[in-house]
Amino acid sequence: MRSIWNGAISFGLVSIPIKLVNATESHSISFRQIHLSDGGRIRYRKVCELDGEEVATAEIGKGYEEADGSIIPITDEDLAQLPIATAKTIEIVSFVPADEIDPLQMDAAYYLAANGPTAAKPYTLLREALKRSRRVAVAKYALRGRERLGMLRVVDDVIAMHGLLWPDEIRVPEGVAPEGRVSVREAELDLADALMATLGEVEMSSLTDEYREAVEAMISAKSEGAFEPPAEAEVEPAGGKVIDLMAALEKSVRAAKESRGEAGPEAAEVTPIRRRGGSGKKAAAAAPKAVGGKKSTASTAAAKKTASGAKKTTSRKSTATKSTSKTASAKKAAGGGASTKKSTAAGAGASAKKAAPRKRTSA
């Protein structure tokens, strides 16, 4: 890769000769301006305002325009003589945690390549120090006629530098946030979390510029004379439409699951447990006709609890009846008289009275 700047990294008293290489490239498609009537190229000519003559690139310099319109010529020699320590040096000023750098400050990215065999050792030292400290270096450097701010970090086995905007170049976001107080319910946040979890993660290397691919395909088809304009897709106008946020979130979660081949949340009907006697009917009435979720689970549990209570009541009644019957038989066999019969009848009556309230309750 071709270097765009040669200099050194100043790391305390250590100087590391490096070359600056662009780390990114643009794949956007460029268009030319043409004359619509005949397709001819439209070109710009650099003309001097004073004499009206076209000027060659070699004869063009730079100058600063003052408020009254007068121009002060500035030469490359003038800029080179300025007492700036960063003119040919990337001067590291501090090491900070990476999360202290606001992503809004990020600008162009570069790779720093060791320039020559003597640079290999100090270059590796700085790289490994950055790795072990888990920090990034904040530096100042000069490029294309101005001093800039940069951040050095490790990418694989290479030191990369991101150009940073100066703090006063970041605009305050006044009037950008929604006006007025807006409240968000917990249920809406839960659905948003569910949508985020369903969408999951993505391999960044798998993302492509679909618009650029479509433009390239159109250019190829036009060059071969086989281009057919696609049917216009109906696009709903953005803004001004009131939506049901909960419904939109639920629909988004279902769509995301379907796109990943996952089954959507299906409703499960709760079937009441039917038992003999009134208790079973009461349990069936207690179970709502809801589908899925916590409500159905709670209702099912209530129905089971009621049915279990009915079963215990029936069991106690059966036990009391058997106990009374055994007592009466034993006293009759022992030759008990009329008093014994009365006692047995009284006991049976008391048992019947005790059982009677339960019977009325279950009925």
Side-chain angles (χ1 to χ4, degrees):
M1 290 185 283
R2 186 175 63 86
S3 64
I4 60 172
W5 185 88
N6 291 342
I9 299 175
S10 175
F11 177 33
L13 297 177
V14 178
S15 181
I16 310 170
I18 57 97
K19 296 184 293 183
L20 197 67
V21 178
N22 280 320
T24 61
E25 58 186 3
S26 175
H27 289 167
S28 61
I29 298 174
S30 299
F31 296 104
R32 303 293 186 187
Q33 290 186 328
I34 61 171
H35 190 194
L36 291 177
S37 61
D38 55 18
R41 279 279 306 275
I42 303 297
R43 298 181 181 273
Y44 292 96
R45 294 181 180 179
K46 297 178 180 180
V47 177
C48 176
E49 290 183 349
L50 297 179
D51 56 19
E53 297 291 331
E54 186 175 352
V55 182
T57 303
E59 298 179 12
I60 298 176
K62 60 174 69 75
Y64 177 80
E65 184 177 3
E66 293 193 306
D68 60 359
S70 60
I71 303 293
I72 300 176
I74 303 294
T75 65
D76 292 338
E77 290 75 15
D78 295 334
L79 296 174
Q81 291 174 3
L82 293 176
I84 301 177
T86 57
K88 278 292 182 181
T89 304
I90 298 174
E91 182 183 356
I92 295 177
V93 296
S94 67
F95 293 89
V96 300
D99 57 7
E100 288 191 12
I101 305 296
D102 191 336
L104 281 173
Q105 288 185 259
M106 296 288 188
D107 202 355
Y110 308 94
Y111 290 136
L112 303 182
N115 194 2
T118 57
K121 178 73 174 182
Y123 183 96
T124 305
L125 171 65
L126 176 58
R127 183 191 68 198
E128 296 304 314
L130 288 171
K131 277 185 181 180
R132 191 168 72 171
S133 68
R134 296 182 181 179
R135 291 174 173 251
V136 297
V138 177
K140 295 169 71 176
Y141 66 103
L143 181 65
R144 299 189 180 100
R146 56 170 292 199
E147 189 172 52
R148 302 169 187 265
L149 195 62
M151 179 191 76
L152 276 64
R153 69 183 184 98
V154 178
V155 177
D156 296 332
D157 288 331
V158 176
I159 299 176
M161 182 173 72
H162 295 268
L164 299 178
L165 299 174
W166 294 98
D168 60 359
E169 293 179 316
I170 304 296
R171 300 174 64 183
V172 178
E174 294 180 354
V176 178
E179 296 181 1
R181 187 174 180 180
V182 180
S183 60
V184 178
R185 293 180 295 166
E186 288 293 327
E188 293 169 339
L189 283 174
D190 291 341
L191 275 173
D193 289 340
L195 178 58
M196 292 165 64
T198 304
L199 291 175
E201 300 178 357
V202 66
E203 288 289 338
M204 295 299 291
S205 59
S206 67
L207 301 178
T208 59
D209 186 347
E210 296 181 4
Y211 179 77
R212 176 173 59 86
E213 292 173 355
V215 172
E216 289 175 345
M218 177 190 67
I219 293 172
S220 177
K222 281 202 166 192
S223 66
E224 296 173 0
F227 175 71
E228 293 183 4
E232 292 186 4
E234 293 184 2
V235 180
E236 294 183 2
K241 184 178 180 181
V242 179
I243 62 170
D244 184 342
L245 186 57
M246 290 289 287
L249 286 170
E250 290 174 350
K251 187 176 180 181
S252 299
V253 171
R254 287 196 299 270
K257 285 187 175 183
E258 290 172 2
S259 67
R260 297 177 61 177
E262 298 178 9
E266 294 180 356
E269 292 187 5
V270 178
T271 305
I273 301 174
R274 296 182 180 179
R275 296 185 181 276
R276 292 181 180 179
S279 299
K281 293 179 181 179
K282 192 170 185 180
K289 296 180 181 180
V291 289
K294 295 181 181 177
K295 290 186 178 179
S296 345
T297 306
S299 302
T300 305
K304 287 183 178 179
K305 189 174 179 181
T306 307
S308 177
K311 187 175 181 180
K312 287 180 181 179
T313 302
T314 307
S315 176
R316 283 197 295 269
K317 288 167 66 178
S318 177
T319 304
T321 304
K322 286 181 181 179
S323 177
T324 304
S325 177
K326 285 181 180 180
T327 303
S329 299
K331 288 185 177 181
K332 188 175 182 180
S339 58
T340 306
K341 291 180 180 179
K342 288 179 181 179
S343 175
T344 304
S351 300
K353 286 179 181 179
K354 288 181 180 179
R358 292 191 184 93
K359 191 171 185 181
R360 285 197 297 273
T361 303
S362 60

